[in-house]
Amino acid sequence: PSSVEEKTVLEQLAENGREIDAFEAVISYLIDEGFAKSWEEAQDIMVTLKPELVEEVYQNQLKKLSK
C-alpha cells in the first residue's frame, strides 16, 4: 500500500467483521502481493493452484486478520 490509510484487498474484504472464504483470501493475497493486477487476473492464477496451497494461503490470511 502506498499510504498508511490505504487498505489491502484482504482488509477491505474483511471490513466490519465480515467472514472471508478461501477463494476471497487467495484472490486478495494474489492482488496484495503483486502477483495479479486485477480480480480477473487473480482468478486465472487461482484455478492453477493446488488445493493444499489454497488452504495454506487461506490459513495465513486468517492469521493476518486476527492480529
Side-chain angles (χ1 to χ4, degrees):
S2 56
S3 74
V4 177
E5 287 143 21
E6 196 173 314
K7 292 185 175 180
T8 63
V9 175
L10 178 66
E11 290 167 339
Q12 291 172 35
L13 286 172
E15 272 182 336
N16 304 321
R18 184 175 169 276
E19 299 247 338
I20 64 166
D21 60 23
F23 177 78
E24 292 173 325
V26 175
I27 294 287
S28 62
Y29 172 81
L30 291 170
I31 296 170
D32 290 335
E33 297 298 321
F35 294 107
K37 292 181 179 70
S38 67
W39 194 269
E40 293 77 23
E41 211 174 286
Q43 285 179 304
D44 290 344
I45 295 169
M46 179 150 180
V47 297
T48 68
L49 302 178
K50 292 182 177 167
E52 299 81 25
L53 183 58
V54 170
E55 183 60 27
E56 184 179 328
V57 171
Y58 180 43
Q59 293 306 322
N60 286 333
Q61 292 286 73
L62 290 177
K63 284 178 194 164
K64 281 185 190 177
L65 287 174
S66 64
K67 285 184 181 175

